[in-house]
Amino acid sequence: PGAKADPGSSSDKTFEMPKLRSTPAKAPESNAIGGNASPVPTSAPSAPSATPGVPSKASGVATVDKPAGTVTFSKAELAAMDGSSGIDMERKESYLSPGEFVEVFGMERGVFDAMPLWKRQAAKKKAGLF
């Protein structure tokens, strides 16, 4: 009639958290006041093989061998050019003659250059020179 609970049953057990390993103390970081400066690495980190935006075969950016203002192209020629053409691909509009610039963008170069970047990019996209 008065059955005792089994000492091995789950109702009598209490859960005990497992002991965690202690982590080793961190070395003190250097500060401007207290000293304890950590040693400075003797070797500088190596440069990446391809720096973004810098002309090289690894980066995929072509060298500009025809600076803006030294030569002019028509809008059709500029629209067909790719990165291997030797022009500054981010400034295709600067290779247009003054007359064709006004014809393509409907404004003088100075007015265009004074516009915010987003407006210039939108105008270049509309003209097919982006």
Side-chain angles (χ1 to χ4, degrees):
K4 291 185 178 179
D6 183 16
S9 73
S10 62
S11 63
D12 285 348
K13 288 190 174 185
T14 57
F15 180 75
E16 192 172 313
M17 290 292 291
K19 301 288 183 195
L20 300 176
R21 290 183 287 144
S22 62
T23 56
K26 291 184 179 179
E29 294 185 22
S30 66
N31 59 32
I33 299 172
N36 288 344
S38 60
V40 176
T42 56
S43 64
S46 63
S49 60
T51 305
V54 175
S56 74
K57 287 184 180 179
S59 70
V61 176
T63 303
V64 175
D65 56 0
K66 296 177 185 115
T70 60
V71 64
T72 60
F73 297 100
S74 70
K75 177 188 169 196
E77 290 172 318
L78 289 169
M81 289 184 178
D82 62 5
S84 65
S85 62
I87 67 166
D88 186 347
M89 296 300 290
E90 293 181 6
R91 300 190 60 219
K92 281 184 174 182
E93 74 283 359
S94 62
Y95 294 94
L96 291 169
S97 69
E100 190 161 11
F101 189 93
V102 172
E103 192 177 307
V104 170
F105 292 106
M107 64 187 84
E108 296 289 328
R109 194 179 306 270
V111 176
F112 180 85
D113 290 339
M115 291 180 3
L117 178 63
W118 68 270
K119 282 190 174 184
R120 289 189 309 238
Q121 289 177 338
K124 290 193 306 186
K125 286 178 184 177
K126 186 177 177 183
L129 297 175
F130 191 76

